[in-house]
Amino acid sequence: MKYSGWPEPGELVVGEIDEIADFGVFVDLDQYEEKRGLCHISEVASGWIKNVRDHVREGQTVVAKVLEVDQSSNQIDLSIKDVNEHQRKETIQDWKNERKADNWMLIALGEEVDDDRYTAVANALLREYDSLYDAFESSAIRGLEALEDVDVDDDAAEAIVDAARENVSVPYVDVTGYVDLESAAADGVDDVKAALEAAEGNGEIPDGVELDVGYVGSPEYRIKVRAPDYKTAEDELEAAAGRAREAIESAGGVGSFHRDRREDDE
């Protein structure tokens, strides 16, 4: 998706060098429709430059900082040297992600989607998310819940979720904890079983979260949680342990939660 407006001073943009002159280089801005910037020779690299071609080449993709924008003269002044390596890598990664998201939009809406339909759906997503990539990543994790506040029709929402779940590689984190569950009652085994079922959430675990409860060695049971981020994983781990404790204690038993095993795994 290309923006129809103008970049802002200070913004980092990605573009392709399409012409090299003695006084600098012209950069075709990839993210903006029909926008081209000029990077003066003094802004190409630090120090004295004898030959611009020693530093850049035609067809090269570069990250540049926007210095000034003069819409009246259709001029955008750029600096390549003012972008450090960390900024360059981060901006390039974001740019690659957005190119992926553009492809996912076409998968979701169809290759023949008209520009108005594409733009309307994209703008609706961007009103709720920082980028199209963020919208698709959230859709892959949370499903239709991620699009509840997005002003798109049901067909588009379902298509976006389907495309996201088939194409987005979602980052996950894993956390593990343990619960000790004991019951001295005659039917204590059933009490423990009920507590473990409570820990598993009774089928009400949020989308994007995987939770597994396994036997370690009586009275100790392992709870494993996989989630998109540590906060969610930790919250779900503590919630699972809390459900198990509440269930066993309501039956007259004893429960406790700890992060490390009582004994080392064999």
Side-chain angles (χ1 to χ4, degrees):
M1 179 180 180
K2 290 195 174 187
Y3 300 110
S4 58
W6 293 79
E8 296 288 334
E11 182 178 342
L12 298 181
V13 293
V14 178
E16 180 180 310
I17 294 176
D18 63 356
E19 183 181 349
I20 298 178
D22 291 339
F23 56 84
V25 299
F26 290 93
V27 181
D28 181 27
L29 303 188
D30 182 81
Q31 299 137 303
Y32 290 87
E33 291 181 346
E34 301 178 356
K35 295 298 185 295
R36 193 177 187 230
L38 170 64
C39 181
H40 188 268
I41 187 171
S42 63
E43 295 294 338
V44 171
S46 299
W48 181 70
I49 297 176
K50 180 178 181 181
N51 189 336
V52 183
R53 294 181 183 273
D54 291 337
H55 301 272
V56 292
R57 66 182 186 280
E58 290 178 350
Q60 179 181 349
T61 297
V62 296
V63 177
K65 181 178 180 179
V66 178
L67 298 179
E68 292 185 24
V69 175
D70 187 341
Q71 297 184 29
S72 62
S73 61
N74 200 35
Q75 184 170 326
I76 302 171
D77 293 332
L78 305 171
S79 173
I80 295 174
K81 74 175 185 180
D82 282 355
V83 180
N84 62 42
E85 186 62 16
H86 173 74
Q87 291 173 321
R88 189 190 70 79
K89 288 182 177 180
E90 189 175 68
T91 304
I92 286 292
Q93 186 59 58
D94 289 343
W95 171 69
K96 288 180 178 179
N97 286 345
E98 286 308 290
R99 287 166 68 93
K100 290 179 183 178
D102 276 340
N103 289 331
W104 297 336
M105 283 283 287
L106 294 178
I107 292 172
L109 302 178
E111 293 284 347
E112 303 303 319
V113 63
D114 62 68
D115 290 344
D116 289 343
R117 168 74 167 163
Y118 184 104
T119 301
V121 173
N123 286 339
L125 292 170
L126 291 172
R127 281 193 289 270
E128 298 296 330
Y129 290 94
D130 290 337
S131 67
L132 293 180
Y133 186 89
D134 289 343
F136 273 89
E137 187 174 70
S138 183
S139 297
I141 296 169
R142 299 166 53 212
L144 289 173
E145 180 186 346
L147 304 177
E148 285 182 352
D149 297 326
V150 177
D151 186 20
V152 294
D153 57 72
D154 292 344
D155 288 343
E158 291 174 4
I160 289 168
V161 170
D162 288 343
R165 288 187 161 167
E166 288 184 11
N167 295 280
V168 180
S169 297
V170 179
Y172 279 97
V173 297
D174 297 296
V175 296
T176 302
Y178 301 86
V179 286
D180 291 348
L181 303 172
E182 299 179 83
S183 175
D187 55 354
V189 172
D190 291 335
D191 293 339
V192 170
K193 182 179 179 181
L196 295 175
E197 290 175 351
E200 290 174 343
N202 297 316
E204 298 182 0
I205 301 302
D207 284 346
V209 175
E210 298 176 18
L211 191 150
D212 179 70
V213 180
Y215 177 75
V216 176
S218 185
E220 192 174 31
Y221 300 84
R222 179 191 295 112
I223 303 175
K224 289 184 177 180
V225 178
R226 168 168 283 192
D229 57 80
Y230 278 107
K231 183 181 187 307
T232 300
E234 293 288 350
D235 287 347
E236 291 301 322
L237 175 60
E238 292 180 8
R243 291 192 296 268
R245 288 177 56 190
E246 182 178 351
I248 197 69
E249 290 172 1
S250 67
V254 177
S256 63
F257 171 63
H258 48 100
R259 292 307 301 264
D260 299 316
R261 277 210 59 187
R262 300 295 187 197
E263 298 177 1
D264 292 336
D265 287 313
E266 295 183 358

